[in-house]
Amino acid sequence: MNETKYWDHRNHQIFSQVGHWQGGIDVNIHNFSLMNDLMKNASLMQVHLLNATGKYVEKKVADWIEINFMGLSYPDSRIWCNQISAYAADTNSTSVAAVSAAILSTDSRAYGGSQTSYSCMKFLASSYHRFTEGETFSSIISAEKIKNGKPIIVGFARPIDRDDERLKPYELMQQKLGIEEGHYLRFAKELSEYLDNHYSLTINSGGYASAFLLDQAFTPTDGYNIKAYAVASGAVACHRNLASTAPNSFLPLKCSDVEYTGKAIRRL
């Protein structure tokens, strides 16, 4: 038996199921012609979703996800990933390096869009199934980790302001685009009401978007891939804001700001 047959077949060859560039002619993306199909009819978000998930969705779905991207990329240097981009500008780094570092920092279970989408979508998919099988919200929540008397559920909390300013635009855009509210989103809203009544926790942007993506038949892995660079726009803005300033302009420290807790000064 040739145990290396699989790798031998791929020796000096690249195989792809996602796309193929024909130099000077066309590019194939999941059996769509980029020049003749997508460039004539699709939006950039539709092409991104096709590359990220292999699914070509209706433009109205892509338009809603584009609105969600807008809500994930504020040009505010106080936000964690944007601080990294601003600091990078302060050290004369390029915007590409700064934004790459900012994106990498958002691969987090706490914020950012990618891992949080994956975790929230997995939770909602599992919880919805359990709920339809007759399990109560109380039982579902009791299985989650508790911190300071409240369950830790990605997509149903905010670190600063309790109310999420993005939810109303999300809902209005969904109505404007004529996208019906699916069963995952209805379930997420019911769960939010329960959490609000018992723990003062409510659904946030990530929870809403995760339920929406599930209703559009995306998987948690799809959600992770879709949101891979969702914070890039705000990170670019924060880099640009610092790029033309004097060195050490971003949150500069004085010597007196540093509290020394080591050994006392010794005479030699």
Side-chain angles (χ1 to χ4, degrees), residues 80-127:
W80 298 288
C81 53
N82 291 345
Q83 284 191 26
I84 292 172
S85 190
Y87 270 125
D90 210 19
T91 60
N92 204 31
S93 175
T94 66
S95 60
V96 172
V99 174
S100 298
I103 291 171
L104 187 58
S105 78
T106 65
D107 195 19
S108 161
R109 291 175 294 176
Y111 82 106
S114 47
Q115 275 205 55
T116 53
S117 292
Y118 179 84
S119 298
C120 188
M121 289 174 74
K122 281 194 71 174
F123 168 78
L124 286 174
S126 172
S127 298

Side-chain angles (χ1 to χ4, degrees), residues 28 67 115-116 132 173 196 233:
N28 176 278
I67 296 299
Q115 275 205 55
T116 53
T132 57
M173 181 54 68
D196 188 17
S233 182

Side-chain angles (χ1 to χ4, degrees), residues 178-198:
I179 303 174
E180 293 185 7
E181 187 174 89
H183 54 262
Y184 282 109
L185 187 52
R186 286 195 295 272
F187 169 74
K189 287 182 176 180
E190 291 177 22
L191 176 59
S192 178
E193 186 175 344
Y194 175 87
L195 289 169
D196 188 17
N197 291 334
H198 291 80

Side-chain angles (χ1 to χ4, degrees), residues 68-82:
N68 177 227
F69 266 53
M70 293 182 193
L72 293 176
S73 201
Y74 293 175
D76 187 330
S77 296
R78 293 174 298 175
I79 298 170
W80 298 288
C81 53
N82 291 345

